[in-house]
Amino acid sequence: TINLKINGIAVTAPKGSTILEAARLAHIEIPTLCFLKEINEIGACRICIVELKNGKLVTSCVYPAEEGMEVYTNTPKVLDSRKKTLQLLLSNHNRSCLSCVRSGHCELQELAHELGVDDEGYYDGEITPSEIDTSAAHMIRDNSKCILCRRCVAVCENVQGIGVIGANNRGFSTSIGSAFEMGLGETSCVSCGQCIAVCPTGALTEKDYTADVFAAIADPKKHVIVQTAPAVRAGLGEEFGLPIGTDVEGKMAAALRRLGFDKVFDTNFSADLTIMEEAHEFIDRVQNGGVLPLITSCSPGWVKYCEHYFPDMTENLSSCKSPQQMFGAIAKSYYAEKAGIDPKDIVSVSVMPCTAKKFEIGREDEDANGMPDVDISITTRELARMIKKAGIRFLDLPDEEFDAPLGLGTGAAVIFGATGGVMEAALRTAVETLTGEELPKPDFTEVRGTKGIKEATYNVAGMEVKIAVASGLGNARELLNKVKSGEANYHFIEIMGCPGGCVNGGGQPQQPGYVRNTTDIRGLRAKVLYDIDTANPIRKSHENPAIKELYATYLGEPGSEKAHHLLHTTYVK
Ligand code: HC1
């Protein structure tokens, strides 16, 4: 350990700590802006400046704590330096805060307020010219609000291993963008939205479709249905001030009903359906010499990544559509028939923790009924905006249920939202199908947890089944390279594009850097899903009564011609 003094108070910190970490042990949170632990440790923004005994100002996020050191975090010199840094940032910043989507939870705004920046125009002068990039299907880049913290660049490069954005030009002309200033939509960006999740300001935002949803609901000729992804219920509460890891499933259903949706359904229903089809596909590939490993295909960021970066492995992808798309295809066929509604009058809306879902709804071969399976996909954040705009007092709402039949899901379905959940759900069904026996316990705990890559081997009906799970595209690449080189060998792999899975998706509520650096956000959100699973009396997809009825009365068997037509898709190389 190291002993030092922070503001005159003795602190003992583990060896290797930075001043920022040591200060935390003394219950002092030094403000940060660019710093993201293990992702962006570049000491660039200089907000975290502190003063050493000799009067030197240093950046505490990267400066090591040393034995005997005396550090001051709040001297006039420190406070003045931080304020000047903010004033300089604000002098080149689009300050239309009133209408900015991040207003109220913008890290720059919060710091300016906390540090008393009352003269934000002090250094006003020339502004770096910029254009708004709307070329991508899922997001908007507005560099007039960018503060060059490079968090987006770091997460794209260091976590996802993609690197489609970086700093262009030098000095005052520096801007974040793609090579040759291409639009993001023209690059091999996979729409994961992790850059949006870490952006401290309103520079990066999802494309907002809430106005289209309000318009559809207001149209009396339209039957507007909504599905909510597993992970949304584990994140939405944060937008209303609830602690990270609060289950708001019941309030969310109540809010959607009050927004005016004609039916409030659940993606969990079609996650169960995905398992039926995917477990069948897995068993079929194993028994009939199909391409292995089978790799899950429900994460559209991952699917796009596979197409761009591992095109020779697209045959390994499951042909199953994602639960979002399966839901849409069933809503405009089975449900429409059952309810006596012309599918052309249905507007199918999805609420997703994901930005790549906005891209997925427009993919080829995602239109089983001659029209898009899903019409509008909004993020968890957009849903929160709608609820606030409509004046619905979310926290006061009662808990309500989803509507039947497309609102019924099992415990297996809800864990899709956490890394390892799809694999666990598939194993619950595949193992019981192969052995013909009931599992004594449906838990496959080896694939749980937020580790980037997980592996396990199970003995199923006399066969050693080797599986692996990866989340985050950097981890996916590492795993796939091992498979390609022959170093590792599996039968079944789950890959999710975002680290930790959908609970940490690019469409989830944004948490500020200091929370991201100190809290296991994805672990807390995942726990919500595992708790819902445990509390559900039905924990296996093949036991979902609504799914059983769908097969018995409409689809026939998993893998049937009708199921193939509606529920499976194709990929591009
Ligand atoms: Fe996901 Fe999925 S789990 S991809 O992470 O397979 O987005 O939550 O909805 O489609 O079910 C996202 C989450 C989601 C799909 C399911």
Side-chain angles (χ1 to χ4, degrees), residues 6 22 134 154 233 360 373 407 467 533 539:
I6 296 187
T134 60
R233 70 211 70 202
E360 185 180 43
D373 293 332
I467 58 110
D533 168 33
R539 299 184 62 200

Side-chain angles (χ1 to χ4, degrees), residues 301-558:
W302 146 242
V303 168
K304 199 173 178 203
Y305 181 82
C306 184
E307 289 174 331
H308 277 303
Y309 298 89
F310 287 88
D312 50 336
M313 293 192 84
T314 49
E315 277 156 27
N316 294 80
L317 285 174
S318 162
S319 65
C320 288
K321 286 181 180 172
S322 76
Q324 166 179 268
Q325 298 301 121
M326 283 199 185
F327 178 94
I330 289 294
K332 291 187 181 178
S333 56
Y334 171 73
Y335 167 73
E337 264 178 47
K338 227 173 137 88
I341 300 166
D342 184 342
K344 288 196 201 71
D345 293 332
I346 293 180
V347 179
S348 177
V349 178
S350 70
V351 185
M352 294 282 140
C354 175
T355 49
K357 293 284 173 192
K358 291 178 189 286
F359 160 78
E360 185 180 43
I361 63 173
R363 278 183 64 104
E364 295 272 302
D365 202 9
E366 300 284 353
D367 48 2
N369 302 288
M371 61 190 91
D373 293 332
V374 176
D375 297 294
I376 308 171
S377 181
I378 62 170
T379 59
T380 310
R381 295 188 292 265
E382 286 167 275
L383 173 60
R385 258 171 249 154
M386 287 188 71
I387 295 170
K388 288 175 189 170
K389 205 176 221 177
I392 295 166
R393 293 172 59 122
F394 186 78
L395 298 176
D396 297 336
L397 291 175
D399 286 344
E400 288 184 4
E401 304 275 324
F402 293 102
D403 292 313
L406 308 196
L408 297 178
T410 68
V414 80
I415 59 174
F416 262 57
T419 164
V422 183
M423 179 58 74
E424 181 166 351
L427 287 169
R428 290 180 190 176
T429 290
V431 172
E432 289 203 355
T433 310
L434 279 168
T435 61
E437 286 166 24
E438 191 173 337
L439 282 164
K441 219 164 50 88
D443 307 277
F444 291 82
T445 48
E446 297 77 7
V447 295
R448 296 187 186 180
T450 51
K451 240 175 88 194
I453 298 177
K454 296 169 274 189
E455 297 175 284
T457 304
Y458 297 104
N459 189 305
V460 184
M463 176 186 164
E464 294 282 299
V465 178
K466 287 188 181 169
I467 58 110
V469 170
S471 70
L473 294 169
N475 293 321
R477 171 153 69 189
E478 191 184 321
L479 183 69
L480 294 182
N481 281 338
K482 279 191 189 160
V483 171
K484 280 181 75 164
S485 70
E487 194 188 324
N489 150 34
Y490 307 101
H491 298 97
F492 197 179
I493 299 177
E494 174 202 298
I495 297 182
M496 284 292 179
C498 293
C502 295
V503 286
N504 188 40
Q508 287 285 62
Q510 287 142 314
Q511 288 291 346
Y514 62 87
V515 174
R516 297 182 70 92
N517 290 330
T518 53
T519 312
D520 176 15
I521 299 172
R522 55 193 89 157
L524 291 169
R525 291 179 185 160
K527 185 173 180 304
V528 172
L529 304 185
Y530 287 109
D531 287 347
I532 297 177
D533 168 33
T534 316
N536 194 324
I538 309 179
R539 299 184 62 200
K540 298 164 202 161
S541 299
H542 55 284
E543 291 177 358
N544 180 333
I547 293 289
K548 285 193 201 168
E549 192 185 328
L550 171 65
Y551 278 105
T553 62
Y554 195 72
L555 292 175
E557 298 294 313

Side-chain angles (χ1 to χ4, degrees), residues 18 32 35 44 120 171 182 186 235 247 397 434 447 450 510:
T18 60
T32 54
F35 179 69
E120 66 270 20
M182 274 191 296
E186 296 154 51
D247 171 11
L397 291 175
L434 279 168
V447 295
T450 51
Q510 287 142 314

